[in-house]
């Protein structure tokens, strides 16, 4: 059972076309009268998500700078009449190689994508949230960042460790305005991330799953359910937290 989000909530999902993003969208469509902004870098978000009682706005474009982030939040807020929730699922590894071989530009690209962009999005969204309506921001981290990350995706791990600080700092500022800020610390989730960004083979994925105490990867639906819980009224007294979904990995 997934707690539904309050009727009339205006939710911007950044990275809505990925495996977890699509699951979040499908679950949110079970909430009455919810207004969704569906962002992707390509035209991978279908207008076919529209259903009776719901409005969805496809928002396509690259996010490379603060101005891009400001524009996205403003575009959605204008379409929806405001913003009550922000879910940031964008991220990735622009080049999978040992950190010894990374160029300065490659390092900066990964830090920008995985830390700077979530910060700029969150800062702009927070400026428009609050007032008489409670609001929420949910960011994503990774469990591996707590253990030094991977040598072949090192800047990604460093940036995701930064997300943990970002969640705490923003939560402290938002609490008095009724804005909760939390994060989901993802373990090994079968969302397509490892194939797309790291080039993992089926054999490598199966070997990685076998290392988890539960002997399987998590599903996008399981990750999405946790994200939606953090948007729900059941989680209004939770803020500044990183909730792990790992199947017991790293214990």
């Amino acid at each position: 059972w997934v707690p539904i989000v309050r009727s009339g909530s205006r939710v911007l999902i950044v990275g809505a076309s990925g495996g977890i993003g699509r699951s979040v969208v499908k679950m949110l469509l079970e909430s009455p009268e919810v207004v969704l902004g569906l962002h992707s870098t390509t035209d991978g978000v279908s207008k076919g998500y529209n259903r009776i009682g719901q409005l969805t706005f496809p928002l396509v474009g690259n996010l490379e700078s603060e101005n891009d982030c400001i524009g996205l939040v403003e575009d959605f807020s204008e379409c929806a009449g405001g913003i009550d929730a922000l879910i940031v699922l964008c991220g990735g590894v622009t080049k999978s190689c040992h950190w010894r071989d990374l160029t300065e530009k490659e390092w900066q690209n990964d830090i920008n994508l995985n830390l700077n962009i979530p910060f700029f999005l969150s800062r702009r969204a927070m400026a428009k949230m609050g007032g008489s309506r409670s609001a929420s921001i949910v960011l994503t981290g990774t469990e591996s960042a707590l253990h030094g990350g991977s040598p072949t995706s090192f800047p990604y791990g460093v940036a995701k460790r930064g997300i943990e600080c970002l969640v705490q700092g923003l939560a402290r500022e938002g609490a008095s305005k009724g804005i909760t800020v939390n994060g989901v610390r993802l373990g090994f989730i079968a969302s397509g991330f490892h194939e797309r960004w790291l080039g993992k083979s089926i054999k490598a994925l199966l070997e990685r799953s076998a290392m988890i105490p539960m002997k399987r990867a998590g599903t996008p639906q399981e990750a999405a359910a946790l994200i939606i819980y953090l948007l729900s009224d059941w989680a209004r007294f939770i803020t500044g937290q990183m909730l792990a979904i790992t199947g017991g990995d790293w214990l």
Side-chain angles (χ1 to χ4, degrees), residues 79-249:
C79 291
I83 180 171
D84 301 308
L86 170 69
I87 303 170
V88 182
L89 301 170
C90 64
V93 179
T94 56
K95 184 174 182 180
S96 178
C97 68
H98 197 282
W99 54 262
R100 289 189 301 260
D101 302 318
L102 283 170
T103 66
E104 178 183 2
K105 181 64 173 176
E106 289 162 350
W107 172 274
Q108 291 175 342
N109 285 344
D110 275 11
I111 297 296
N112 189 54
L113 175 61
N114 295 291
L115 181 58
N116 298 348
I117 295 305
F119 168 68
F120 292 133
L121 288 167
S122 299
R123 182 166 69 173
R124 191 60 175 181
M126 283 187 73
K128 304 186 77 65
M129 289 174 170
S132 60
R133 299 172 68 124
S134 59
S136 300
I137 295 174
V138 180
L139 307 179
T140 52
T142 179
E143 183 70 14
S144 67
L146 299 187
H147 308 274
S150 164
T152 57
S153 58
F154 194 49
Y156 173 81
V158 170
K160 290 301 187 181
R161 191 64 179 260
I163 290 292
E164 308 240 347
C165 182
L166 193 60
V167 163
Q168 291 182 317
L170 294 180
R172 186 168 53 242
E173 295 294 324
S176 63
K177 301 175 183 178
I179 304 170
T180 64
V181 184
N182 292 291
V184 173
R185 191 184 295 132
L186 299 168
F188 188 66
I189 307 296
S191 64
F193 175 92
H194 296 87
E195 298 94 318
R196 177 184 178 188
W197 295 104
L198 303 177
K200 297 294 185 180
S201 65
I202 296 297
K203 180 176 181 291
L205 296 175
L206 291 173
E207 289 173 349
R208 180 65 182 88
S209 296
M211 297 170 63
I212 299 170
M214 287 189 170
K215 303 302 180 186
R216 69 173 179 87
T219 68
Q221 293 80 8
E222 287 169 326
L226 181 54
I227 290 168
I228 291 175
Y229 171 75
L230 290 171
L231 299 187
S232 75
D233 283 348
W234 293 96
R236 293 314 306 164
F237 201 57
I238 301 173
T239 196
Q241 305 302 308
M242 295 291 300
L243 302 188
I245 176 167
T246 68
D249 209 7

